[in-house]
Amino acid sequence: MSCDVLEVDFDARGAIASSGVVDETTIPCDDVVLAIGQENAFPWVERDIGIEFDNWNVPVVDPTTFESTRKGVFFGGDAAFGPKNIIWAVEHGHQAAISIHKYCQGANLSDRLPRGVNLTTAKMGIHEWSYSNDYDPAGRRIMPHVDLKKRFRKLNIEVELGFSAEDAATEVERCLNCDLQTVFSAGLCIECDACIDVCPVDCLTITPNGDQKTIEANLKTARLEPEQELYVSGPLKHTNRVMVKDENLCVHCGLCAERCPTGAWDMQKSTVVIPYAIDEAERDEQLCRETRKAG
Amino acid sequence: MPGNAKSRINDFVVKLANVNGTGSASANTLLMKAIFRMGIPVTGKNFFPSNIQGLPTWYEIRVSRKGYLARSGSVDIMVAMNQATYAQDLAEVSPGGTLIYDSTWPRESVIARPDIAVIGIPLARMCNERFAKTRVRILMKNMAYVGALAALIDIELKVIEKLVRETFASKQALIESNMDAIALGYDYAKKHFACPLPTRLKRLDKTAGHIMIDGNTAAALGCVYAGATVGAWYPITPSTSLMDAFRAFCEEFRKDPNTGERNFCVVQAEDELAAIGVVLGATWNGARAFTPTSGPGMSLMNEFLGFAYFAELPAVVFDVQRVGPSTGMPTRTQQGDILAAAHASHGDTRHVVLFPGDPRECFELSVAAFDLADRLQTPVLVLSDLDIGMNDWMCRELEWDPAYRPDRGKVLKPRTVARLPGRFNRYVDPDGDGIAPRTIPGGHPKGSYFVRGSGHNRFGEYTEDSDEYLEVVDRLRRKWTTAAKLVPDPVIRRTRKAGNWGIVSVGSCNPAVNEAIDRLAAKGIHLNYCRVRAFPFTRKVERFLDQHDYVFVVEQNRDAQLKSLLMLETSYPADRMHSILSYGGLPMDYRCVVEAIEEAYLAGVAA
């Protein structure tokens, strides 16, 4: 494929001021698929109905409510903040739905349910967890693809063939289970050091409490990411020392929790809670019931 | 749901696979007791590891409307609570059976078999949501599966609740949490599955007049009833619970109600040799004393057992047998100490050995052992095993004759000693039964004598003179003949249709042999059965052997030790005895007896 090499100058606003061909280059290819992009354009929106447009000619949208400068009109997807991917578009849809629900209820659009993280223990028994914590150090499985020639012959063919049952089983065992958090309860700790002893990356330390510098000096392993905050527990009941964890080093293997005789270390599954319109609706209903009961 | 929907009422096996140290034992016992209280004959076998926490453990509950108490060798419902043994537990379920597991981590891909039904219940998840503390969650998970089983096999909830209330009578909070956990499992099963399963319970009235008791507790109770006041021991599985029970009974019944003084003495010695030393000191001084131990402890006691035999001191030793040799498998059952007990210690020694066949006989033979030890002035060894000693067996209620008076044997009172015309001679037998009267130290100065394990004459004096030595050891042989007349006779079961084939067996083989005899009879093979209860063998054992052309000797050891003893001590020809041996460490199941005899029968018929 032969291409012209352009030289471009931008003006103060960032728009192209001038350009010119300075060279030519050839890239060797088996085939070429044209995908040359798209653009937001809103010629169909009248400019006198109270919807304000910015200097890129896209509507001004509230980043929380997705409402435009005209009440009751919402934007989402590429139309809201320019080109993003489909995952963002789905999220915009959810947020706009919440806003529309609130708008219809006559409620304050900015008063939204909080996001959060739910932690539930994964412990099923003494040495039993509700997930596979036996990390497999095998290398990443290579996804088999349809032969290149076949792909060119039929452009809409699905490229990835999928893993074999064995490869799929190996691949899932490589999971680091980063949704499982190591959660510490200082009140249960008997300072037996079993977790420190078993930790394969030495990310745990029990040390007298003190300022950041003193604690850092006592760490079993020097920090690789000094900017990342250390976990420091409350005082342990026997010696008033503290449990310190360098989250950057932790591989979530769960061995500390597995070995802990009192359950002070626990592996807890974290679920991110993102409220949707239905949650807002349920809250409204509940409030309604409570008001009625009170009345 | 796949599987055979054929209804199985009051005749199936539930096996519970657990992790050791998770508190499953109390839940499993509760299950078994609940079934018992519904009037249904039941037996529970605990297969546990020699480990504090973490290794796999199983509890096998057999429900049998016909009252069979042996293992059946198959599993109809498996409660798989140990992910480390999922594969093994899955494979063990009989076709058409059911497997229940904790689906907090759903594993349909791993736990599946086309010919059984798999029931997943999120026990851990429900308990984690309901209970706050880690330890409580793990404990309550066990109660949750009890609840699920109650729904699935129709255990009456009010029976379970009553048991829970009895167990935690002093702890109201525990009653509530346990019942909560039971409700979690019960409600979930009711909501998600067709309850009850075709394999289920139905109230009967076949347990009246029976109790559930383990052999060690029953033996300890026997010690109390026999008037034992001294127990010395060194802890060893599976005999420890015998001393625990003795101490608990004594704390209750042997304390002076006014002064609170303990009228008993329990000594934990530094090892088993010291323990039997304490026992011999106590019995020499007139007390009834005993020591509970197991094979390794018996090995250590050998020196003093020989001493007691030769010095003629009474003693009762309980050997709750476990798997040998050496340390072996401490928590598995076997009958491997028969020869070692019969001939414990060096030189010409033979000991009186009693073989209880169930916990009820542990009680009865425990009392008999003290009487025999006093009467014969010699150690009496009671050989039970882990299966009898530590598992709960359904037995007829224990009975006690209030007219019982301990047989202290030939003991001269101080008054009698004082009136003796000459001196007191410790080892003179006045009436030809081989037993010489003894005195209790401190009674009368004339009654004093030296106790020695070295060569002695009939006066108790040191000797190296052949004739004097022979007089003593030949009298001991006469005493052995007397013993054979005093020890318990075998239990003989005769069938009218039986031909000239018989079974001789011992101890905990009994339920398996009895069931095998019934099952063989249904196939037209009829056998008589003699269960030996003592060594030396009484006349009735010899007579049973002589009445049969061919005898199967069923026992739980590799080397056919009972058969060896029969070969040594009877005139019955060895080539007419056929051994059936089960020695893998698990309680015997009836199948091995049925199969071996059927095979021999077919071969015999063909010949």
Side-chain angles (χ1 to χ4, degrees):
Chain A
M1 184 172 65
S2 294
C3 304
D4 289 343
V5 179
L6 288 181
E7 217 167 65
V8 182
D9 287 326
F10 296 97
D11 66 12
R13 287 168 57 223
I16 295 170
S18 67
S19 67
V21 176
V22 294
D23 199 359
E24 201 182 86
T25 179
T26 304
I27 305 168
C29 301
D30 291 315
D31 204 350
V32 176
V33 179
L34 288 178
I36 53 171
Q38 51 207 334
E39 184 177 37
N40 277 329
F42 303 91
W44 43 277
V45 181
E46 297 89 338
R47 292 302 191 264
D48 57 355
I49 56 169
I51 296 176
E52 202 181 301
F53 284 79
D54 66 8
N55 50 6
W56 294 103
N57 242 341
V58 290
V60 174
V61 177
D62 184 292
T64 308
T65 65
F66 291 76
E67 196 176 34
S68 69
T69 48
R70 183 189 161 121
K71 297 280 166 230
V73 177
F74 302 86
F75 285 82
D78 291 358
F81 308 108
K84 288 191 172 176
N85 64 25
I86 193 164
I87 297 167
W88 281 108
V90 171
E91 161 67 358
H92 293 174
H94 279 300
Q95 294 306 326
I98 292 172
S99 297
I100 293 164
H101 170 76
K102 287 188 166 297
Y103 181 83
C104 295
Q105 299 288 319
N108 177 5
L109 301 199
S110 302
D111 173 24
R112 301 171 96 87
L113 282 172
R115 295 189 170 198
V117 177
N118 251 355
L119 289 171
T120 46
T121 181
K123 199 174 178 72
M124 287 177 73
I126 286 175
H127 295 128
E128 195 185 358
W129 305 90
S130 59
Y131 68 100
S132 175
N133 63 353
D134 193 8
Y135 170 67
D136 187 343
R140 185 177 180 174
R141 303 290 94 184
I142 304 300
M143 175 62 74
H145 285 173
V146 173
D147 178 64
L148 205 55
K149 282 189 179 142
K150 275 189 198 163
R151 275 149 60 186
F152 289 135
R153 228 173 295 148
K154 199 178 167 195
L155 281 180
N156 61 352
I157 200 167
E158 190 157 339
V159 174
E160 295 191 344
L161 288 167
F163 286 131
S164 67
E166 291 76 24
D167 276 346
T170 310
E171 188 65 18
V172 297
E173 285 302 327
R174 296 177 65 245
C175 174
L176 288 169
N177 299 302
C178 53
D179 62 328
L180 281 133
Q181 311 301 328
T182 50
V183 178
F184 185 69
S185 309
L188 295 175
C189 180
I190 53 169
E191 299 170 54
C192 66
D193 277 11
C195 54
I196 291 169
D197 171 61
V198 80
C199 179
V201 293
D202 288 334
C203 74
L204 301 175
T205 306
I206 297 183
T207 169
N209 205 353
D211 57 27
Q212 183 79 7
K213 229 178 175 179
T214 325
I215 288 179
E216 277 194 25
N218 287 338
L219 290 180
K220 284 200 77 178
T221 311
R223 308 191 63 187
L224 296 174
E225 291 285 341
E227 296 307 310
Q228 188 178 340
E229 263 187 84
L230 288 171
Y231 166 78
V232 180
S233 78
L236 304 179
K237 58 187 174 190
H238 293 299
T239 63
N240 250 348
R241 294 181 298 168
V242 288
M243 175 74 75
V244 182
K245 180 173 174 227
D246 185 347
E247 192 63 52
N248 178 55
L249 295 174
C250 177
V251 290
H252 290 226
C253 64
L255 285 172
C256 50
E258 180 111 354
R259 201 174 190 201
C260 181
T262 62
W265 280 113
D266 193 18
M267 297 304 289
Q268 299 194 352
K269 188 177 173 58
S270 55
T271 320
V272 177
V273 184
I274 302 173
Y276 297 131
I278 191 162
D279 301 307
E280 294 279 358
E282 271 169 17
R283 183 177 68 160
D284 292 345
E285 265 173 46
Q286 201 183 331
L287 282 172
C288 218
R289 273 197 302 272
E290 277 164 22
T291 316
R292 220 175 295 146
K293 227 182 266 171
Chain B
M1 200 178 281
N4 181 355
K6 210 176 81 184
S7 156
R8 292 262 307 267
I9 294 173
N10 294 339
D11 182 24
F12 57 89
V13 173
V14 181
K15 190 165 180 176
L16 304 112
N18 296 98
V19 180
N20 202 37
T22 55
S24 57
S26 49
N28 298 341
T29 314
L30 180 89
L31 264 176
M32 195 259 299
K33 284 183 179 165
I35 297 170
F36 177 74
R37 291 214 182 160
M38 286 172 68
I40 306 163
V42 63
T43 186
K45 303 283 187 205
N46 193 8
F47 313 147
F48 60 104
S50 178
N51 153 271
I52 303 291
Q53 196 173 74
L55 287 182
T57 177
W58 289 271
Y59 194 74
E60 201 174 273
I61 297 174
R62 180 175 181 198
V63 181
S64 165
R65 61 172 182 275
K66 288 182 180 160
Y68 291 132
L69 302 180
R71 290 181 60 226
S72 83
S74 64
V75 177
D76 302 293
I77 297 173
M78 177 70 79
V79 182
M81 297 296 291
N82 183 358
Q83 59 178 1
T85 60
Y86 274 161
Q88 178 185 346
D89 297 334
L90 180 70
E92 212 179 319
V93 183
S94 297
T98 304
L99 181 137
I100 299 162
Y101 85 107
D102 186 345
S103 62
T104 300
W105 182 3
R107 305 232 245 171
E108 281 81 0
S109 59
V110 187
I111 308 173
R113 237 179 73 184
D115 58 339
I116 66 166
V118 174
I119 289 181
I121 303 177
L123 297 162
R125 182 170 64 70
M126 293 193 293
C127 289
N128 288 348
E129 283 165 8
R130 176 67 188 75
F131 303 102
K133 288 184 182 160
T134 307
R135 181 71 191 156
V136 174
R137 287 169 170 175
I138 291 170
L139 287 173
M140 290 308 150
K141 204 169 68 158
N142 300 318
M143 297 311 281
Y145 72 63
V146 169
L149 275 174
L152 290 165
I153 64 171
D154 245 359
I155 309 172
E156 293 170 18
L157 270 187
K158 62 176 194 295
V159 173
I160 292 180
E161 183 171 354
K162 190 152 181 281
L163 274 165
V164 170
R165 287 188 183 285
E166 285 169 19
T167 313
F168 304 110
S170 56
K171 299 163 188 160
Q172 186 62 33
L174 280 180
I175 296 177
E176 278 166 25
S177 51
N178 275 278
M179 288 312 296
D180 276 359
I182 287 166
L184 284 179
Y186 186 87
D187 295 343
Y188 188 94
K190 280 272 179 193
K191 194 174 161 194
H192 293 87
F193 308 105
C195 293
L197 299 174
T199 298
R200 64 172 184 269
L201 304 166
K202 200 176 164 193
R203 184 172 266 280
L204 283 180
D205 58 351
K206 289 200 171 169
T207 57
H210 288 77
I211 55 168
M212 294 297 294
I213 191 169
D214 65 80
N216 284 350
T217 304
L221 197 62
C223 294
V224 174
Y225 271 76
T229 51
V230 178
W233 68 317
Y234 184 76
I236 183 171
T237 305
S239 75
T240 299
S241 59
L242 199 160
M243 192 56 98
D244 289 344
F246 179 73
R247 198 159 33 184
F249 285 132
C250 286
E251 287 289 343
E252 196 173 347
F253 302 116
R254 288 278 180 75
K255 250 177 158 170
D256 190 300
N258 300 318
T259 64
E261 193 187 3
R262 290 183 170 87
N263 293 317
F264 64 95
C265 172
V266 173
V267 182
Q268 182 173 329
E270 67 263 40
D271 61 23
E272 286 89 345
L273 187 55
I276 192 168
V278 171
V279 167
L280 296 179
T283 61
W284 180 58
N285 269 290
R288 285 198 146 179
F290 70 97
T291 181
T293 189
S294 189
M298 282 282 288
S299 290
L300 217 53
M301 289 179 187
N302 261 246
E303 186 172 337
F304 261 149
L305 281 169
F307 171 75
Y309 172 83
F310 199 33
E312 298 179 66
L313 296 169
V316 172
V317 179
F318 293 93
D319 174 3
V320 187
Q321 298 168 96
R322 65 188 212 185
V323 171
S326 190
T327 307
M329 300 198 284
T331 59
R332 311 290 162 169
T333 194
Q334 211 174 53
Q335 296 174 321
D337 300 348
I338 297 176
L339 283 175
H343 295 285
S345 197
H346 54 272
D348 282 326
T349 53
R350 273 184 296 184
H351 299 288
V352 175
V353 187
L354 305 182
F355 305 103
D358 62 17
R360 184 185 157 94
E361 282 193 351
C362 284
F363 173 72
E364 292 168 351
L365 296 190
S366 164
V367 178
F370 284 98
D371 284 349
L372 285 166
D374 270 347
R375 167 60 53 186
L376 295 164
Q377 297 174 13
T378 196
V380 174
L381 315 176
V382 183
L383 251 65
S384 83
D385 59 34
L386 184 140
D387 182 15
I388 301 178
M390 293 188 74
N391 286 320
D392 282 318
W393 287 45
M394 184 176 114
C395 304
R396 278 190 296 123
E397 279 169 5
L398 306 183
E399 282 165 53
W400 184 250
D401 178 4
Y404 169 83
R405 294 290 173 271
D407 177 5
R408 301 309 311 267
K410 294 181 183 173
V411 177
L412 297 183
K413 295 204 170 81
R415 233 180 317 136
T416 322
V417 177
R419 273 189 263 122
L420 282 177
R423 61 185 230 184
F424 165 69
N425 299 311
R426 171 65 182 94
Y427 297 115
V428 174
D429 166 20
D431 53 15
D433 62 1
I435 304 162
R438 64 175 178 135
T439 55
I440 304 292
H444 191 280
K446 248 175 96 174
S448 57
Y449 64 96
F450 273 109
V451 186
R452 45 175 124 240
S454 50
H456 49 268
N457 62 21
R458 63 194 174 118
F459 310 116
E461 293 160 347
Y462 181 81
T463 188
E464 293 185 28
D465 179 87
S466 293
D467 290 338
E468 284 190 327
Y469 165 80
L470 289 175
E471 188 185 359
V472 171
V473 292
D474 287 344
R475 179 180 54 75
L476 287 175
R477 190 172 54 197
R478 270 205 312 285
K479 186 160 88 172
W480 185 249
T481 316
T482 303
K485 291 174 192 152
L486 296 177
V487 296
D489 272 320
V491 175
I492 292 176
R493 174 183 169 187
R494 290 183 195 278
T495 323
R496 197 179 300 161
K497 288 186 191 161
N500 44 21
W501 281 19
I503 298 177
V504 175
S505 189
V506 66
S508 64
C509 302
N510 191 41
V513 172
N514 267 323
E515 182 167 358
I517 288 173
D518 288 357
R519 288 181 183 268
L520 287 163
K523 298 177 180 199
I525 305 171
H526 303 277
L527 298 108
N528 292 324
Y529 169 32
C530 166
R531 179 166 58 86
V532 173
R533 295 203 298 166
F535 179 69
F537 301 122
T538 66
R539 184 72 204 99
K540 280 193 178 172
V541 176
E542 290 238 25
R543 210 182 306 149
F544 181 88
L545 290 172
D546 292 341
Q547 286 163 350
H548 294 86
D549 290 346
Y550 198 70
V551 167
F552 297 93
V553 185
V554 183
E555 54 188 310
Q556 296 172 57
N557 55 66
R558 185 195 65 184
D559 291 346
Q561 298 189 18
L562 175 64
K563 184 183 152 198
S564 303
L565 214 48
L566 289 165
M567 282 159 59
L568 280 172
E569 301 276 341
T570 72
S571 53
Y572 195 73
D575 59 0
R576 281 159 55 191
M577 286 192 276
H578 178 91
S579 273
I580 299 176
L581 307 170
S582 166
Y583 49 93
L586 295 182
M588 198 170 188
D589 67 58
Y590 70 82
R591 284 167 208 260
C592 68
V593 183
V594 171
E595 280 161 21
I597 293 180
E598 220 175 352
E599 196 180 306
Y601 183 81
L602 291 174
V605 169

